[in-house]
Amino acid sequence: MRPSELDFRHYESRVMLRVVIGSRAYGLDDEHSDTDKRGIYLPQAEQHWSLEGVPEQIENDATQEVYWEFEKFLKLALKSNPNILETLYSPLVEFASPFAKKLIAARAEFLSRAVYDTFQGYVESQFKRITTELRNLERIRWKQMMHLIRLQLTGITLLQTGELTLHVGEHLQLLRDIKSGKRTFDEVDALRRSLSHQFDLALATTSLPEHPNRELANDLLIEARTLALKASLP
């Protein structure tokens, strides 16, 4: 058994939030889609204070599950990590403890203009890798390209509306066409550049704050650590 699987079994009872993300949350799923689960776990205080410490994340490859330790989750949320924000905003919540529900109720406090640098920076870096693979290996990862376009569309809407919506809505057919290779590389690259411009415009006019609410995040962390003194999951 892998160390990560041992960690998962050891801390599984401390999972405070479990949601489904990925294609099923985006509305892009089909009969072949996996069910990707993400969430948060809160170790007991004694586990956290021990010499061994606790892992920043636990995972179960067999069931496509990944859970971040609460403090790690908060720090990533403050950096506008896409996976973390999608976990907070997934419409497919399988389990949420009372404290996790409190976190979800405050999720808008983690949204800020930082999503521009995080989302767009990831898109640009990954497109460079895809271009290099195309040049050197003559292959294109269409599914990856589709998700990069999806991330741009999500980020633009977030800056424009102040809301993070995972379902792709009216862009469903476009994204499916990209995934299936019905659009050429040049077409998708041109779309990426057009969306980058729209992203710039959205950043200039967004009502989102410059930074997320770090004070709230700190208060939540202190409260969680206090609650972790109890044996039961808060």
Side-chain angles (χ1 to χ4, degrees):
M1 185 178 296
R2 294 174 52 193
S4 60
E5 293 175 343
L6 287 172
D7 285 340
F8 180 82
R9 294 194 176 189
H10 187 63
Y11 295 104
E12 185 177 9
S13 64
R14 301 297 298 179
V15 169
M16 59 185 280
L17 176 66
R18 180 186 300 109
V19 305
V20 176
I21 65 167
S23 60
R24 298 191 185 281
Y26 308 144
L28 289 165
D29 56 301
D30 56 33
E31 65 273 18
H32 304 296
S33 297
D34 295 327
T35 300
D36 300 315
K37 299 181 181 182
R38 300 291 183 269
I40 310 168
Y41 86 98
L42 179 67
Q44 289 182 281
E46 289 183 358
Q47 295 171 320
H48 187 79
W49 295 336
S50 69
L51 287 175
E52 289 77 13
V54 296
E56 291 187 336
Q57 70 180 48
I58 56 175
E59 51 193 86
N60 186 345
D61 291 340
T63 54
Q64 303 292 312
E65 295 178 73
V66 176
Y67 301 94
W68 291 274
E69 192 275 323
F70 187 61
E71 181 177 355
K72 179 65 174 181
F73 185 91
L74 289 179
K75 288 179 176 178
L76 290 172
L78 290 171
K79 294 179 180 179
S80 295
N81 179 285
N83 287 329
I84 299 298
L85 294 183
E86 289 183 0
T87 298
L88 281 175
Y89 276 84
S90 172
L92 306 177
V93 179
E94 291 193 345
F95 171 75
S97 72
F99 188 74
K101 291 177 181 177
K102 181 175 181 177
L103 172 65
I104 291 174
R107 62 189 180 182
E109 299 295 325
F110 292 93
L111 301 180
S112 72
R113 299 182 187 186
V115 300
Y116 174 85
D117 290 329
T118 307
F119 284 34
Q120 187 65 0
Y122 180 76
V123 169
E124 295 298 332
S125 66
Q126 290 302 305
F127 252 92
K128 287 181 180 179
R129 292 184 62 181
I130 289 173
T131 302
T132 299
E133 285 188 2
L134 176 60
R135 182 173 59 251
N136 296 335
L137 304 176
E138 297 185 351
R139 71 180 184 191
I140 298 176
R141 293 179 290 158
W142 292 109
K143 182 178 180 179
Q144 175 74 349
M145 290 184 71
M146 179 270 290
H147 279 300
L148 295 178
I149 296 298
R150 178 195 60 77
L151 190 61
Q152 283 187 302
L153 291 167
T154 300
I156 291 168
T157 301
L158 171 55
L159 289 179
Q160 291 174 337
T161 66
E163 295 288 334
L164 180 59
T165 303
L166 301 194
H167 198 284
V168 299
E170 63 181 340
H171 305 296
L172 176 61
Q173 192 57 52
L174 166 66
L175 295 171
R176 284 182 170 172
D177 286 348
I178 294 173
K179 181 181 177 181
S180 62
K182 293 181 180 179
R183 302 295 180 101
T184 67
F185 176 84
D186 288 341
E187 286 177 326
V188 180
D189 191 36
L191 176 59
R192 174 191 63 82
R193 286 184 272 109
S194 174
L195 291 175
S196 294
H197 178 63
Q198 293 180 46
F199 222 148
D200 292 341
L201 294 177
L203 178 64
T205 58
T206 187
S207 61
L208 285 178
E210 190 73 28
H211 304 289
N213 191 336
R214 292 184 62 87
E215 183 177 353
L216 172 76
N218 190 62
D219 289 344
L220 287 170
L221 179 58
I222 293 172
E223 183 177 356
R225 291 284 182 255
T226 303
L227 292 172
L229 286 166
K230 301 179 180 180
S232 59
L233 184 68

